[in-house]
Amino acid sequence: IENPLQHFLPLRTLQPDPDLQNPIGAKIITSNDARLFMANCVDPESGERVPYRIAWSGTLEDNRWGGSEYRSGTSTFLDLAGENEPITALYTSSDFVVVFKPRTIYIGRFVGAPQYYSFRRLVRGPGCVSHQTLVEYRDGLLIWLGDDNVYIGYPGQNPKPLGNAIEDRIREVADLCRMDEARAEIDRDNHIYTLYVPLKDELN
């Protein structure tokens, strides 16, 4: 039987400049209409994971990556090392990038050369614990699981808690040490956000 994986090539084989290396081992990958974004990556030069790093490809070139800051055209990376927490979720649009940590949200806007994206801390408190719980409801309105509640909000605005009615139930049944495995689905027609959390061992 033919192995279907043999037709997939690693990103580095497509890199136009072989001296520059793309991020590897990204825990979060997303895109907008112009770029590919990776976060919580392994630095290809040191081989060490940088959990607070966000990197982006060149404009309309998802195979072009910079090997270090401000080095390769419009592709570079930025370390959001404040709070020393890992990046846990990303949301992108054509105008901005929203970066979530467990208890912090940053918003990045395109500013052109040499940095290309400038990030500022939007709010501290309602971060996101799992990228898989982040969903878009309608017209950019986001819903996600924070470390203390479910939140809803538009990028650039302070989010509001949405899950007060289920807070106690989550703490009762969920394995709080594995909340990064939580995920969610959205039924936009029926206005239903369904959250799945890892259960405590005694409930499995």
Side-chain angles (χ1 to χ4, degrees), residues 84-188:
N84 199 30
E85 293 180 329
I87 294 174
T88 51
L90 293 176
Y91 173 80
T92 58
S93 76
S94 57
D95 299 317
F96 51 79
V97 183
V98 185
V99 177
F100 294 84
K101 293 185 173 190
R103 287 174 292 275
T104 316
I105 302 174
Y106 290 84
I107 188 160
R109 299 190 183 278
F110 186 81
V111 294
Q115 188 174 349
Y116 296 99
Y117 281 89
S118 176
F119 289 84
R120 68 175 178 86
R121 191 170 71 185
L122 172 65
V123 64
R124 181 165 174 77
C128 180
V129 296
S130 170
H131 180 77
Q132 297 180 99
T133 67
L134 177 64
V135 299
E136 183 177 359
Y137 175 43
R138 294 184 189 277
D139 303 320
L141 183 62
L142 304 178
I143 304 174
W144 67 91
L145 177 63
D147 73 334
D148 63 344
N149 209 322
V150 176
Y151 287 90
I152 187 169
Y154 287 102
Q157 299 179 5
N158 287 343
K160 297 178 180 178
L162 185 66
N164 291 342
I166 62 171
E167 272 186 285
D168 291 341
R169 181 60 175 164
I170 290 176
R171 291 191 180 95
E172 179 185 340
V173 303
D175 183 343
L176 300 182
C177 295
R178 296 169 47 219
M179 293 302 280
D180 59 333
E181 300 174 20
R183 59 187 179 87
E185 297 175 351
I186 187 76
D187 181 344
R188 295 177 181 85

Side-chain angles (χ1 to χ4, degrees), residues 27-103:
K27 290 191 175 181
I28 303 165
I29 301 174
T30 188
S31 65
N32 61 16
D33 54 3
R35 299 175 191 275
L36 186 65
F37 294 82
M38 296 185 185
N40 199 329
C41 318
V42 173
D43 186 297
E45 296 179 1
S46 70
E48 296 182 357
R49 180 167 297 280
V50 187
Y52 40 74
R53 175 168 295 175
I54 179 171
W56 52 88
S57 69
T59 306
L60 301 178
E61 293 181 300
D62 59 6
N63 61 330
R64 182 179 292 277
W65 297 86
S68 59
E69 288 185 279
Y70 318 135
R71 185 173 162 194
S72 177
T74 62
S75 169
T76 186
F77 66 80
L78 189 63
D79 290 344
L80 298 173
E83 300 86 37
N84 199 30
E85 293 180 329
I87 294 174
T88 51
L90 293 176
Y91 173 80
T92 58
S93 76
S94 57
D95 299 317
F96 51 79
V97 183
V98 185
V99 177
F100 294 84
K101 293 185 173 190
R103 287 174 292 275

